[in-house]
Amino acid sequence: MALNMKSKMAGAAPSGRTGRSGHKSVQTRARILDATAKVLSEKGYAGTHLQDVAEVAGVRATAIYYYFDSRDALVEEVMWWGLADLRRHVREVLDTATPGDTGMDRIMLAVEAHLRRELEVSDYTTASIRNTAQIPTHLRIRATQEAEEYGRIWHRLIEDAAREGEIRSDINLFVLRMLLLGSLNWAAEWHRSDLIPVDAVVTSAQMLIRQALDSTPVVQRTTTALG
C-alpha cells in the first residue's frame, strides 16, 4: 500500500561509499536514502521498516543490503545528513547578508532559512528534527556533533546581536538560544501545509522573535508607532 508522503523534496542525498561501483549504484543509493528520509519523517523511527523504504525507493527490500548493513545504518545516515544539510544551508544563507544588515537582520535570515528547510524543502531535515529523541543513543553520535556545530552558529548570531545592543539586556542568551531553536524545531510537529502556508509561519516567527528581543524601551516603541 502506498504511503501518504508530504509533497516535499527529499533534498540532495549524501555522497559517500557505495556497495557497488558505478553511476547507477550511486543513484540507487541516493534513492534509498531519499526514501528513508521520507518514511522516517512521516512514520518515525519505530514505524520505519525496510519494506516501506524499498517501496518508496522502487527497489527490492533485499537490494538495500547491497548498500547498507541494516535499517539502523540507514537511519543513522539520514539523521546525520539532515542536520549537516540544515547547517550548511543556513550558513550559505547567512553568507548572502550585506554589510548593512544588522545582527537582528541576520537572525531573521537564519529563522527563515531554518523554517523553510524544515517545512518545505528537505525530508532529511524534518526526519532529523522529529526523531532525535526516538533513536537509540548509538545512532545519535554524528547527528549530535552536527547539532552542536549548528548551535554554535546561533550562539554567534545571538552574541553578535547582543553586542550591538539589539537584544534586551535582561534576557539570558543561553536560555534564549535554547528556546528559539526549540520553537523553530517544534514547527515540524504541528505545521500542516494544507492549512497554514510556510510564508505565514516564517513571517509570524520573525515578527514575534524580533519584538520579543527588541532592546528599544516599550514606551519609545509605542511612541514611534503612534507617529
Side-chain angles (χ1 to χ4, degrees), residues 79-97:
M79 292 292 294
W80 162 72
W81 180 251
L83 292 173
D85 178 58
L86 176 63
R87 179 170 66 91
R88 186 186 62 249
H89 174 66
V90 171
R91 182 73 269 166
E92 289 174 350
V93 170
L94 288 172
D95 286 343
T96 68

Side-chain angles (χ1 to χ4, degrees), residues 202-221:
V202 170
T203 301
S204 298
Q206 289 176 325
M207 185 182 302
L208 287 169
I209 293 168
R210 190 183 286 273
Q211 290 182 356
L213 303 185
D214 193 349
S215 60
T216 307
V218 175
V219 173
Q220 183 178 335
R221 269 184 272 161

Side-chain angles (χ1 to χ4, degrees), residues 53-185:
V53 172
E55 181 182 343
V56 175
V59 301
R60 294 181 180 179
T62 54
I64 294 175
Y65 289 104
Y66 282 101
Y67 303 91
F68 298 93
D69 295 335
S70 64
R71 180 191 76 141
D72 277 356
L74 265 172
V75 169
E76 194 275 342
E77 185 86 351
V78 168
M79 292 292 294
W80 162 72
W81 180 251
L83 292 173
D85 178 58
L86 176 63
R87 179 170 66 91
R88 186 186 62 249
H89 174 66
V90 171
R91 182 73 269 166
E92 289 174 350
V93 170
L94 288 172
D95 286 343
T96 68
T98 67
D101 286 334
T102 65
M104 188 63 69
D105 291 334
R106 289 170 59 81
I107 289 176
M108 295 302 106
L109 281 174
V111 167
E112 178 169 10
H114 182 111
L115 286 172
R116 291 196 184 281
R117 203 69 175 179
E118 172 188 9
L119 300 180
E120 70 180 3
V121 176
S122 176
D123 284 316
Y124 285 86
T125 297
T126 306
S128 296
I129 289 172
R130 299 191 69 185
N131 289 279
T132 298
Q134 298 182 31
I135 62 173
T137 303
H138 70 280
L139 299 182
R140 302 180 192 174
I141 297 174
R142 284 201 300 165
T144 298
Q145 292 171 344
E146 282 296 336
E148 290 172 352
E149 287 292 325
Y150 186 52
R152 280 190 272 275
I153 291 176
W154 284 91
H155 172 77
R156 288 192 294 271
L157 286 171
I158 291 169
E159 289 283 344
D160 288 346
R163 201 160 35 242
E164 293 173 16
E166 297 181 85
I167 295 179
R168 290 169 44 180
S169 60
D170 58 342
I171 295 179
N172 182 293
L173 300 185
F174 172 78
V175 174
L176 167 61
R177 174 161 58 93
M178 293 297 101
L179 289 174
L180 197 157
L181 284 174
S183 64
L184 293 179
N185 288 341

Side-chain angles (χ1 to χ4, degrees), residues 41-62:
S41 67
E42 191 76 13
K43 305 191 79 173
Y45 174 71
T48 296
H49 304 292
L50 289 184
Q51 186 56 52
D52 292 332
V53 172
E55 181 182 343
V56 175
V59 301
R60 294 181 180 179
T62 54

